Structure formats: structure tokens, C-alpha cells
Amino acid sequence: MNQKYKILSKKIIDLGERDQKMRKLWAKNNFNPKYYNEKLDKTNTEEFEKIISKIGWPSKSKVGKIASDYAWVLIQHTKDNKLANKALILMKNLPAGEQDWNKISKTIDRIRVKKGQPQLYGTSFKIDIKTKKLSVDTIYDIKNIDKRRKKIGLEESFKVFKARVIKDYNFFLKQKK
């Protein structure tokens, strides 16, 4: 971590921890809307936008791994598509050792799904709030999904990835009971 970004690193971690605390409470309460804090998401987005306008993408070498991971979480949860697209460009333009194509592919898919477009890499799932069932968002050209995944360096096939996500989700549901 670059010491000149130490204060911003702490700020990102704080934003990320608040985001996760709220989302865990929301999930623990069966995704009851009264536990979802839209104002927190809006505030986090505004604060995070100021940070990336100042320093670019908060990479591991700038803010450390924990803050960089939280930066990505904040982008996943923003409703501001313009900011998400800006972040995606910044992430893609990082030096090779700083890029994380698992996160970049998930960001691409999230942005596409928010726009009503099919995802490319099969990383986006949705939960039916009533039934608690997990399903995959629509995928573009599913026959060639593993070729696309491999081309950007994703090691798991879509089938293996999907099975792992479903297993993790079902484990989470059992823990809530």
C-alpha cells in the first residue's frame, strides 16, 4: 500500500464495512425491504465517486488488498451506471499485475444485466425474494461462454462456477436457519 493513500484506504474500508453490515442484516431478515438502506448506498456511491475522481481505481498497490476489494464491492452495489462504467474502464486499464479478471468479468456482467442486456461470462445470478431460489441471469451465446471465460483468464468452466455458486448459496441459506 502506498502511504500517501492511507487515509483514503481507511475511508474505503469504512464504506465497505457499512455496506456489508447493512446487506448482511438485510439477508438475515429474508431480504425484507425495511432492512435495506437505500440512503447508505447513495452516500457510499457519492463518497466513492469522489475517491476515484481523486486517485483513479483504488488498486492494491495504492490502498492495499482489503480496501481494493471493498472498492470493487462498492461498485457492484452502486445504482449509478455511469460510475460503474467509469470504474470498469479504470479497472481494465490497470497494469497487468493489478488487474483481477474475476472482478472485471463480474463488473461487466453486472453492468450488462442492469442495462437489460444478457451477460457475457455467467457471473450474475438473481434471487427470487419470495421463493429464495437462485437463478442465472440471461447469458449471451451460452454455447461459447467457456471460450469467452477462458479468453480472459477465468479458470473455471461456467458449469463448475455455477455449481459452486449454488452450493455456497444453499450453505448460506442453511446457516440462516
Side-chain angles (χ1 to χ4, degrees):
M1 173 173 54
N2 186 322
Q3 290 302 309
K4 77 178 188 179
Y5 299 120
K6 194 172 185 173
I7 292 171
L8 288 177
S9 175
K10 287 180 182 181
K11 177 72 172 173
I12 294 167
I13 290 169
D14 180 55
L15 295 173
E17 286 176 346
R18 286 189 288 165
D19 171 276
Q20 290 299 287
K21 182 178 178 184
M22 182 268 287
R23 280 182 163 69
K24 286 176 184 173
L25 179 64
W26 179 45
K28 183 180 174 184
N29 288 283
N30 294 312
F31 303 100
N32 182 327
K34 84 175 194 180
Y35 292 97
Y36 182 82
N37 186 341
E38 214 166 301
K39 187 177 179 187
L40 177 69
D41 274 348
K42 188 175 187 309
T43 301
N44 280 355
T45 293
E46 290 167 358
E47 292 296 315
F48 188 65
E49 185 170 22
K50 290 175 192 172
I51 292 168
I52 67 171
S53 291
K54 188 181 287 187
I55 69 168
W57 185 255
S59 62
K60 288 182 261 182
S61 63
K62 286 181 184 174
V63 298
K65 181 174 177 9
I66 294 169
S68 185
D69 287 347
Y70 274 132
W72 177 76
V73 167
L74 293 167
I75 278 303
Q76 296 307 294
H77 295 156
T78 187
K79 290 176 180 48
D80 183 339
N81 288 339
K82 186 177 172 185
L83 178 62
N85 281 306
K86 179 180 179 178
L88 178 60
I89 291 166
L90 292 171
M91 290 166 58
K92 283 180 165 182
N93 288 325
L94 289 171
E98 293 272 353
Q99 291 174 338
D100 181 337
W101 278 97
N102 283 312
K103 290 179 177 157
I104 293 171
S105 65
K106 288 177 182 180
T107 304
I108 291 168
D109 281 349
R110 172 94 32 138
I111 290 169
R112 289 180 63 89
V113 167
K114 284 180 182 178
K115 289 180 180 177
Q117 300 172 335
Q119 59 177 319
L120 298 177
Y121 303 106
T123 65
S124 182
F125 294 74
K126 63 183 165 247
I127 301 167
D128 182 309
I129 301 297
K130 290 180 180 154
T131 66
K132 306 295 183 266
K133 295 284 182 192
L134 187 70
S135 62
V136 180
D137 285 311
T138 306
I139 298 171
Y140 169 79
D141 186 20
I142 196 159
K143 290 185 293 187
N144 291 303
I145 191 170
D146 286 329
K147 288 179 187 172
R148 287 192 302 277
R149 289 174 64 84
K150 188 174 184 173
K151 185 177 180 179
I152 64 167
L154 299 179
E155 295 177 9
E156 290 178 311
S157 69
F158 171 66
K159 182 179 178 181
V160 170
F161 176 75
K162 179 182 172 185
R164 183 172 53 79
V165 168
I166 290 170
K167 180 182 174 191
D168 290 349
Y169 175 72
N170 288 332
F171 177 77
F172 166 75
L173 287 179
K174 287 177 187 171
Q175 297 304 306
K176 284 182 35 179
K177 292 180 182 178

